[in-house]
């Protein structure tokens, strides 16, 4: 039995309210969920919260998952929706920074930098992700961790398939160059 | 390249992050178990959970739901599950009406029966005109209503209402036949979704192919074909216009010129910049903020003294992220803004129009703008009396009942909204909305083709067949003409072509034993099949195609590039006349003067790993003997804009020069073992020919001469630092004797086409 079939079986049981089956499903993907969130947001605390939030939403809404074999794609959709909102919030915070005083800033804006590890503590992958644009982060995270193909990303992001392919390829190349420059 | 990508992918995929304690599965399980019913309920309604009405990536295309579940029950119930290619014109009027009645009837019965009804799914195979062509697979499903989750029970009230509504319309009818049809389709779809709790997996033998012997005929009528599309607009010889699919059918692009002014949109400053150009001199004339808040730019046209700007506007942007909003109850509209540019090129707004849904694409023919958008409705909002919950609008007005087309086997909530706008008269001349998706759009000189790869809702995979709709257009009047299905799927809109009353297409498909093949199909204008050549190039898929009148060319690829030539002069009897196997493959084909075909694609190693770009010139003057006349491997470049977007290709038919932007990834890995191993065969060539340190976006221009082959005329870095230049936002335009390289947001530079030296720059 391959992963997909196993997942489908677990999804069916989870739909009947079996929390343990759901936890087993979660176990199969949580590392990828966390990595995707961490790299998209560049903030471990937010990533942790968002993964937690995603999983609870997914459990509560599992009956909405029509295709039982598509659990991974489905939960990544929830995750990326949440990440997207968070990224949007980061942007508006960043924009507000120009108008608020530094005092206010430190009190009211839990800036990206707060809670972010110093570069030495970061894995190479996390550092490599940090040089990408938000859009590129989304594309790479969905393809690598969500196991989406470029057509699926294109559909989700309302982009041209070829654009996704080229952006993905360019993002990988940026990361490759970056990793190359570290060593 | 693919190999290099694999390595970095693996590296990222296996990155070892320390995962917080709270996210350990056992802790999550505890949290789940501790959730209160209120929290469960609240979370079940989270906006972040994908809306079922729109399929997710892994569910397949956002369109093309068909003949599954509830809907197939309906189809088979009325015995019309089979597709009728022969009489589409009748289907046009009669079938929708019969269907309306049947739909209502069956819906009514369906609801009446409530629990435990059976559904039959009829899937029809490829419609070979001859024999043995039907494979009816019967799928029986037990309705899962018994197991429907708690949360669904809350919706029983709604259900009753819907029941009332549908019964009413069933009994008393309505003056809006197509509105009703659309409503009932969506309602049926909504119910179908709700019932998707239990189902059996069924594998369908979708297509059964009879073996057909291919014989290469001994006669060939001389190829009189000329290019079915050229890169430039003949009416305005002094500049190269956007490279398009069909000659005479203009396409919008991100950068446009009228020969005197160049327009580019900068998404960073959100301004439209315009420059006057004169013999290489570039003057920035100004910039205009052309967008409202929440409006985004897509592309534009220049027509006479008017600039037409295509965009999107989202009324509730606060909760709609720019590119995820597709999945939210869509309140997005396509905008068409028309500017007067007669006064020194400065755009002054004269008119604005909107139509429901996301802007997809557009075409312009003889002053009429045809605009295509996708409008999706949320079935949760569906209210029979509120037409705006299921009927798209144009300029705030509902599209008339007679202009709504519901395809008979559509199980979908997405419309393709098509409008025709007369730019001179400043009014819509026609509009229509077709319920059912579309992925590849092809517009010929007289017809619009919407094609939609079918999605199989039984096993959640793409089917190996594609639905197609033909809509004729003439001077702003559109008519729904025919629909049908063909096997396989299209690579892009070069894989389909209309010529002299026939539609020719090349598709890739999988046979019953999961072998990949390619086929060439010819249909008449009613979309009835005329002829076919199948089982071509096992295990390969089509990468590019070009039809040129009575001859067609297409490229399939796995690890070499067979370029096929096919004689189409007798549509009843097409013949493969020759094929040519060369390394690499062409991803874009462009007619190049008499008897030549330019291929732009990738050079690959023997395993099919792509390494860098490659140009090929094919001699096609004798279709029985096609030859690769010259080839040039571009060792420096790994990606070319033209391979993803034909609009990015510059072809100057005055002197045969052509150009596009390309990206150099550099060879920083040249010394690494894996690279040496992977590219063992090409390694020496790379060392000898590649500029190993070259990285970034460049614009390259070539000329071709039979004796000298390809000559590189220009190779210039884009912008001040090409490293992060976006090659896909770059266009080359020749105006008079000067080439202008325009990059959205990065300004323009001009070059003298005599020597390709920089003349002027303007940022």
């Amino acid at each position: 039995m391959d992963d997909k079939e196993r997942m489908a079986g677990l999804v069916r049981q989870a739909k009947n309210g079996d929390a343990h089956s759901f936890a087993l499903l979660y176990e199969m993907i949580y590392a990828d969920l966390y990595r995707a969130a961490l790299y998209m947001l560049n903030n471990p605390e937010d990533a942790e919260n968002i993964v937690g939030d995603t999983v609870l939403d997914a459990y509560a809404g599992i009956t909405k998952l029509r295709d039982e074999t598509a659990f991974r794609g489905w939960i990544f959709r929830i995750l990326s929706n949440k990440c997207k909102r968070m990224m949007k919030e980061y942007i508006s915070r960043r924009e507000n920074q120009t108008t608020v005083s530094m005092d206010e800033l430190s009190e009211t804006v839990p800036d990206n930098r707060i809670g972010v590890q110093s570069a030495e503590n970061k894995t190479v992958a996390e550092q490599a992700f940090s040089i990408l644009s938000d859009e590129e982060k989304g594309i790479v995270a969905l393809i690598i961790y969500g196991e989406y193909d470029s057509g699926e990303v294109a559909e989700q992001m309302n982009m041209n398939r070829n654009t996704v392919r080229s952006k993905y390829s360019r993002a990988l190349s940026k990361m490759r160059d970056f990793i190359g420059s570290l060593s | 390249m693919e190999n290099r990508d694999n390595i970095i992918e693996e590296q990222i995929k296996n990155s070892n992050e320390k995962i917080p304690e709270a996210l350990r599965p056992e802790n999550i399980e505890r949290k789940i178990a501790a959730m209160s019913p209120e929290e469960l309920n609240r979370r079940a309604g989270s906006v972040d959970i994908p809306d079922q009405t729109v399929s997710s990536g892994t569910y397949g295309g956002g369109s093309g739901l068909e003949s599954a579940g509830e809907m197939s029950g309906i189809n088979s119930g009325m015995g019309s599950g089979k597709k009728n290619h022969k009489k589409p014109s009748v289907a046009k009027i009669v079938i929708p009406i019969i269907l309306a009645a049947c739909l209502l009837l069956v819906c009514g019965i369906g609801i009446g029966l409530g629990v435990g009804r059976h559904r039959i799914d009829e899937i029809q195979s490829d419609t070979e005109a001859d024999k043995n062509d039907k494979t009816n697979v019967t799928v029986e499903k037990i309705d899962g209503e018994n197991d429907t989750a708690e949360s669904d029970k809350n919706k029983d009230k709604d259900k009753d209402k819907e029941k009332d509504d549908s019964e009413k319309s069933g009994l008393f009818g309505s003056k809006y036949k197509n509105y009703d049809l659309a409503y009932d389709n969506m309602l049926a779809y909504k119910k179908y979704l709700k019932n998707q709790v239990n189902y059996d997996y069924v594998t369908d033998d979708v297509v059964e192919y009879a073996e057909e012997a291919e014989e290469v005929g001994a006669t060939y009528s001389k190829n009189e074909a000329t290019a079915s599309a050229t890169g430039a607009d003949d009416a305005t010889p002094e500049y190269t216009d956007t490279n398009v699919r069909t000659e005479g059918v203009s396409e919008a692009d991100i950068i446009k010129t009228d020969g005197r002014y160049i327009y580019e949109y900068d998404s960073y400053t959100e301004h439209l910049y315009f420059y006057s150009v004169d013999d290489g001199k570039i003057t920035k004339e100004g910039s205009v903020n052309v967008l409202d808040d929440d409006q985004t730019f897509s592309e534009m046209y220049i027509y006479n003294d008017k600039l037409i700007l295509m965009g999107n506007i989202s009324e509730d942007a606060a909760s709609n992220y720019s590119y995820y909003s597709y999945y939210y109850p869509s309140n997005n509209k396509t905008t068409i803004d028309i500017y007067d540019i007669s006064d020194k090129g400065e755009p002054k707004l004269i008119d604005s129009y909107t139509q429901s849904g996301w802007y997809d694409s557009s075409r312009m023919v003889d002053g009429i703008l045809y605009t295509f958008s996708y409008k999706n409705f949320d079935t949760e909002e569906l209210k029979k009396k509120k037409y705006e919950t299921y009927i798209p609008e144009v300029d705030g007005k509902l599209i008339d009942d007679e202009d709504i087309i519901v395809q008979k086997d559509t199980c979908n909530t997405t419309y393709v909204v098509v409008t025709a706008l007369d730019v001179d008269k400043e009014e819509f001349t026609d509009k229509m909305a077709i319920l059912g998706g579309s992925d590849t759009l092809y517009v010929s000189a007289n017809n619009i083709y919407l094609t939609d790869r079918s999605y199989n809702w039984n096993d959640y995979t793409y089917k190996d067949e594609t639905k197609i709709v033909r809509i004729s257009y003439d001077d702003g009047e559109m008519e729904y003409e025919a629909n049908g299905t063909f096997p396989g799927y299209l690579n892009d809109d070069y894989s389909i072509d209309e010529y002299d009353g026939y539609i020719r297409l090349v598709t890739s498909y999988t046979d019953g034993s999961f072998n990949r093949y390619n086929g060439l199909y010819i249909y008449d204008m009613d979309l009835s099949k005329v002829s076919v050549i199948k089982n071509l190039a096992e295990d390969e898929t089509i990468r590019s195609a070009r039809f040129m009148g009575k001859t067609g060319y297409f490229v399939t690829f796995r690890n070499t590039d067979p370029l096929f030539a096919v004689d189409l002069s007798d549509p009843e009897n097409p013949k493969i006349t020759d094929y040519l196997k060369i390394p690499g493959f062409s991803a874009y084909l462009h007619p190049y003067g008499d008897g030549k075909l330019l291929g732009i694609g990738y050079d690959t190693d023997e395993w099919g790993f792509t390494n860098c770009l490659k140009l090929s010139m094919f001699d096609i003057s004798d279709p029985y003997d096609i030859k690769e006349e010259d080839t040039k491997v571009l060792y420096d470049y790994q990606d070319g804009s033209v391979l993803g977007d034909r609009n990015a290709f510059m072809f100057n038919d005055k002197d045969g020069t052509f150009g596009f932007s390309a990206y150099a990834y550099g060879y920083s890995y040249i010394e690494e073992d894996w690279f040496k191993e992977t590219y063992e065969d090409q390694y020496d060539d790379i060392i000898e020919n590649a500029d190993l340190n070259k990285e970034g976006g460049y614009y390259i221009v070539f000329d071709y001469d039979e004796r000298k082959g390809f000559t590189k005329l220009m190779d210039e870095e884009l912008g001040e630092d090409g490293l992060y230049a976006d090659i896909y936002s770059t266009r080359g335009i020749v105006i008079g004797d000067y080439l202008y390289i325009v990059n959205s947001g990065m300004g323009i530079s001009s070059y003298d086409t005599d020597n390709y030296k920089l003349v002027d720059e303007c940022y």
Side-chain angles (χ1 to χ4, degrees):
Chain A
M1 193 158 55
D2 68 9
D3 265 11
K4 278 213 157 170
E5 284 174 53
R6 178 165 175 242
M7 275 193 174
L10 290 172
V11 167
R12 232 166 286 164
Q13 282 164 310
K15 279 184 177 176
N16 291 329
D18 180 358
H20 185 63
S21 294
F22 188 84
L24 293 175
L25 272 174
Y26 170 72
E27 193 170 7
M28 293 166 83
I29 47 127
Y30 78 108
D32 284 341
L33 275 180
Y34 179 71
R35 279 190 287 237
L38 176 67
Y39 301 155
M40 277 196 260
L41 301 174
N42 201 17
N43 180 326
E45 279 167 27
D46 286 343
E48 179 180 337
N49 290 337
I50 269 188
V51 172
D53 200 25
T54 299
V55 175
L56 297 187
D57 272 12
Y59 178 72
I62 189 88
T63 53
K64 291 187 180 178
L65 172 57
R66 208 168 49 239
D67 175 2
E68 287 155 3
T69 61
F71 179 73
R72 178 186 282 269
W74 182 75
I75 197 167
F76 266 87
R77 175 71 67 80
I78 304 177
L79 180 85
S80 64
N81 285 343
K82 290 186 188 297
C83 285
K84 205 60 225 167
R85 178 155 344 103
M86 186 59 83
M87 284 155 114
K88 190 99 177 173
E89 214 176 300
Y90 289 163
I91 292 169
S92 66
R93 281 181 201 166
R94 237 175 278 153
E95 279 162 3
N96 288 340
Q97 282 176 9
T98 49
T99 53
V100 292
S101 73
M102 284 310 290
D103 286 352
E104 274 175 288
L105 187 76
S106 57
E107 270 178 56
T108 59
V109 185
D111 185 275
N112 244 345
R113 286 165 299 193
I114 301 167
V116 172
Q117 301 146 293
S118 60
E120 302 86 68
N121 295 334
K122 287 185 183 178
T123 58
V124 171
E126 186 178 0
Q127 293 179 53
F129 258 94
S130 67
I131 64 161
L132 302 181
S133 72
D134 285 354
E135 188 182 62
E136 288 169 332
K137 283 177 191 165
I139 293 172
V140 177
L142 283 178
I143 290 177
I144 293 193
Y145 303 115
E147 297 179 2
Y148 283 51
D149 69 29
S150 58
E152 291 162 350
V153 177
E155 197 188 307
Q156 180 161 350
M157 296 199 169
N158 200 38
M159 287 160 76
N160 177 303
R161 224 170 282 186
N162 287 320
T163 314
V164 171
R165 247 178 255 148
S166 106
K167 288 197 172 175
Y168 178 61
S169 177
R170 185 144 8 108
L172 285 191
S173 141
K174 273 197 211 174
M175 294 170 93
R176 184 165 45 228
D177 291 350
F178 176 81
I179 291 170
S181 74
L182 290 180
S183 54
Chain B
M1 237 182 74
E2 280 172 23
N3 195 321
R4 294 209 296 163
D5 284 355
N6 290 344
I7 285 171
I8 185 92
E9 275 171 350
E10 282 306 308
Q11 201 168 351
I12 295 166
K13 182 152 185 69
N14 300 321
S15 161
N16 199 8
E17 292 297 340
K18 195 169 163 290
I19 296 172
E21 197 59 27
L23 295 180
R24 304 265 332 138
E26 56 272 21
N27 293 330
I28 288 291
E29 189 177 341
R30 220 166 289 143
K31 253 189 213 167
I32 288 170
M35 267 199 286
S36 67
E38 290 77 36
E39 185 176 3
L40 270 171
N41 216 11
R42 181 174 56 75
R43 286 193 177 273
S46 161
V47 293
D48 296 318
I49 300 176
D51 180 356
Q52 295 176 320
T53 58
V54 183
S55 58
S56 89
T58 36
Y59 304 158
S63 51
L65 330 186
E66 82 164 303
S67 50
E70 202 91 21
M71 294 307 297
S72 34
I74 293 161
N75 284 334
S76 54
M78 57 173 286
S80 70
K82 295 166 200 160
K83 280 154 199 156
N84 187 347
H85 286 292
K86 300 275 149 98
K87 293 197 167 41
S89 51
V90 176
K92 184 169 103 188
I93 308 154
V94 181
I95 298 216
I97 296 170
I98 300 172
L99 237 137
C102 289
L103 273 173
L104 293 174
L105 202 70
V106 178
C107 278
I109 294 167
I111 297 158
L113 291 176
V115 184
R117 64 188 179 279
H118 294 233
R119 279 180 252 126
I120 310 282
D121 194 5
E122 264 195 347
I123 293 147
Q124 211 217 333
S125 76
D126 162 39
T127 55
E128 276 312 302
D130 31 339
K131 53 184 165 124
N132 284 347
D133 61 337
K134 280 177 220 154
T135 317
N136 288 333
V137 177
T138 307
V139 180
E140 223 178 34
K141 279 189 260 171
I142 307 301
D143 195 323
E145 208 127 313
N146 294 332
D147 306 314
T148 306
E150 287 279 279
S151 59
D152 276 18
K153 284 181 187 159
N154 301 337
K155 289 164 188 162
D156 278 354
K157 272 187 205 160
D158 295 354
K159 225 176 203 175
D160 287 341
K161 255 191 222 159
E162 287 154 8
K163 187 173 152 188
D164 286 352
D165 281 344
S166 67
E167 273 173 0
K168 263 180 217 153
S169 60
L171 290 175
F172 306 116
S174 150
K175 53 182 174 169
Y176 300 126
K177 292 266 185 304
N178 292 320
Y179 282 11
D180 289 350
L181 200 51
Y183 174 80
D184 292 329
N185 258 288
M186 289 199 193
L187 193 59
Y189 177 65
K190 179 179 179 180
K191 290 179 194 306
Y192 161 70
L193 292 182
K194 279 193 179 157
N195 290 332
Q196 288 307 294
V197 177
N198 274 358
Y199 60 87
D200 297 324
Y201 288 101
V202 177
T203 316
D204 303 322
D205 282 334
V206 183
V207 185
E208 197 178 87
Y209 288 98
E211 283 294 320
E212 273 185 22
E214 296 305 333
E215 282 177 31
V216 175
T219 56
Y220 179 73
S221 65
K222 197 67 195 150
N223 176 19
E224 298 149 31
T226 51
S228 65
T230 63
D233 187 336
D234 290 338
T236 48
E238 69 276 3
Y239 64 91
T240 55
D241 204 350
T242 305
N243 184 39
V244 296
R245 167 67 182 86
T246 306
E247 193 177 1
V249 178
S250 305
E251 296 174 17
D253 198 8
I254 51 167
I255 287 157
K256 283 283 182 181
T257 185
D258 62 357
R260 295 167 300 150
Y261 296 93
I262 291 175
Y263 293 82
E264 58 120 337
Y265 183 77
D266 179 359
S267 59
Y268 186 74
T269 61
E270 299 191 338
H271 275 60
L272 181 72
Y273 286 80
F274 57 109
Y275 306 81
S276 61
V277 288
D278 182 23
D279 282 346
K281 281 198 302 293
I282 311 161
T283 315
K284 189 192 270 180
E285 297 289 345
S287 65
V288 192
N289 182 4
V290 286
L291 300 184
D292 289 338
D293 293 346
D294 305 338
Q295 194 179 5
T296 53
F297 168 84
S298 292
E299 42 188 9
M300 57 189 160
Y301 290 91
I302 290 180
Y303 168 72
N304 293 345
D305 280 335
K306 285 169 179 158
L307 182 130
I308 304 160
L309 199 143
M310 315 301 295
N312 279 294
I313 190 154
S314 183
E315 282 163 350
D316 185 16
S319 63
N320 267 341
Y321 323 124
S322 58
Y323 49 81
Y324 282 85
S325 51
Y326 183 76
Y327 290 96
Y328 286 87
S330 170
N331 54 7
N332 193 84
K333 283 182 190 151
T334 292
T335 59
I336 305 167
D337 293 331
I338 301 189
Y339 289 85
D340 179 4
I341 51 168
S342 58
D343 183 16
K344 292 183 190 134
E346 186 171 350
K348 295 197 180 80
L349 185 66
I350 33 182
D351 243 321
S352 288
Y353 306 88
T354 62
Q355 70 187 57
S356 297
W358 275 102
Y359 174 69
D360 174 57
S361 189
S362 59
R363 298 288 186 275
M364 194 160 176
V365 185
D366 298 333
I368 311 284
L369 173 70
Y370 299 88
T371 305
F372 304 84
S373 61
Y374 292 151
K375 172 62 182 173
N376 170 57
F377 286 100
D378 181 359
T379 53
E380 292 301 321
E381 303 284 313
L382 196 56
K383 294 255 166 34
K384 174 96 181 169
K385 300 250 166 56
K386 292 172 88 178
Y387 298 125
E388 67 273 20
T389 63
Y390 59 97
I391 300 295
E393 299 174 1
V394 172
D395 261 355
K397 278 194 258 36
L398 292 170
I399 293 180
D400 289 342
D401 181 62
E402 59 185 27
D403 295 322
I404 299 288
I405 289 148
V406 180
Q407 296 207 71
K408 60 174 180 171
D409 50 2
T410 295
C411 186
N412 202 334
T413 60
T414 304
Y415 288 90
V416 182
V417 182
V418 193
T419 59
L421 177 72
D422 188 320
V423 177
D424 294 316
K425 291 187 187 143
E426 299 176 8
E427 62 180 24
F428 283 109
T429 54
D430 206 351
K431 54 197 101 171
M432 63 166 61
I434 299 109
L435 188 57
S438 168
D439 34 46
T440 299
L441 165 77
Y442 164 56
V443 182
S444 72
N446 305 104
N447 290 286
I448 293 160
Y449 295 87
L450 304 173
T451 72
D452 184 24
R453 188 172 176 190
S454 303
Y455 189 69
N456 188 336
W457 285 96
N458 291 313
D459 59 4
Y460 299 95
T461 52
Y462 279 108
K463 278 194 198 176
D464 251 355
E465 60 176 38
T466 303
K467 291 190 288 177
I468 178 166
V469 168
R470 176 167 76 89
I471 298 164
S472 65
Y473 72 90
D474 180 27
D475 203 21
E477 299 296 323
M478 299 182 289
E479 203 68 56
Y480 183 89
E481 299 283 355
N483 69 338
T485 306
F486 59 81
Y489 62 91
L490 299 172
N491 176 50
D492 60 15
D493 65 342
Y494 284 105
S495 290
I496 171 170
D497 184 71
E498 178 196 322
Y499 178 76
D500 203 18
Y502 290 94
I503 297 140
R504 302 92 57 91
L505 35 94
V506 284
T507 75
S508 301
Y509 62 86
T510 310
D511 72 2
S513 330
F514 302 102
N515 298 313
R516 303 210 57 80
Y517 288 106
N518 305 282
L520 174 122
Y521 298 83
I522 301 183
Y523 289 83
D524 65 18
M525 297 307 278
D526 290 332
L527 299 170
S528 300
K529 189 180 291 176
V530 175
S531 59
V532 59
I533 302 176
K534 292 190 306 192
N535 299 343
L536 293 166
E538 186 176 354
D539 275 354
E540 305 192 340
T541 50
I542 287 169
R543 295 306 181 102
S544 59
R546 194 93 195 198
F547 288 92
M548 296 154 71
K550 289 178 178 162
T551 320
Y553 301 91
F554 59 96
V555 167
T556 64
F557 177 73
R558 187 174 60 179
N559 39 38
T560 53
D561 169 357
L563 170 74
F564 286 88
V566 51
D567 174 9
L568 301 162
S569 52
D570 177 5
E572 308 269 338
N573 193 21
K575 290 186 194 78
I576 302 286
T577 52
D578 196 12
Y579 70 92
L580 182 68
K581 282 208 176 211
I582 47 171
F585 66 90
S586 300
Y588 177 73
L589 296 171
H590 196 96
Y592 192 88
D594 263 355
K596 292 207 189 339
L597 184 66
L598 168 66
I600 305 175
Y602 296 99
D603 185 39
T604 62
D605 67 8
E606 58 181 316
W607 305 107
F609 285 124
T610 61
N611 172 36
C612 55
L613 298 187
K614 189 183 114 164
L615 306 175
S616 296
M617 188 62 80
F618 301 104
D619 178 354
I620 53 170
S621 50
D622 179 359
Y624 282 91
D625 185 21
I626 49 177
K627 289 182 284 241
E628 189 180 45
E629 199 171 78
D630 189 33
T631 177
K632 189 173 183 73
V633 178
L634 308 177
Y635 289 98
D636 293 349
Y637 296 110
Q638 283 74 31
D639 192 9
S641 55
V642 57
L643 302 181
D645 182 357
R646 62 165 163 267
N647 294 154
F649 184 64
M650 185 280 289
F651 181 67
N652 186 357
D653 60 356
K654 301 293 164 297
D655 60 8
T657 55
F658 63 93
F660 55 92
S661 45
Y663 202 87
Y665 286 126
Y667 284 90
S668 53
Y669 283 75
I670 193 83
E671 290 303 331
E672 301 204 3
D673 293 340
W674 64 263
F675 187 88
K676 286 180 181 166
E677 277 167 36
T678 311
Y679 295 103
E680 198 182 347
D681 295 344
Q682 296 110 314
Y683 194 79
D684 292 341
D685 288 336
I686 293 170
I687 293 288
E688 191 178 330
N689 295 299
D691 179 349
L692 300 177
N693 298 316
K694 193 162 171 178
E695 261 186 282
Y698 285 74
Y699 200 88
I700 47 181
V701 177
F702 290 88
D703 194 8
Y704 184 80
D705 181 283
E706 240 171 65
R707 281 166 294 115
K708 286 184 273 178
F710 289 104
T711 316
K712 184 152 77 176
L713 300 176
M714 176 174 151
D715 191 348
E716 290 288 334
E717 191 167 5
L718 293 172
E720 289 180 3
D721 179 8
L723 200 56
Y724 295 113
D726 183 0
I727 58 168
Y728 281 89
S729 323
T730 302
R731 297 289 183 268
I733 304 169
V734 176
I735 305 174
D737 296 326
Y738 297 87
L739 170 67
Y740 298 85
I741 306 300
V742 193
N743 187 299
S744 288
M746 282 172 63
I748 307 182
S749 42
S750 62
Y751 299 84
D752 188 334
T753 56
D754 283 340
N755 51 23
Y756 289 90
K757 292 230 168 78
L758 183 71
V759 177
D760 197 4
E761 283 177 304
C762 191
Y763 293 110

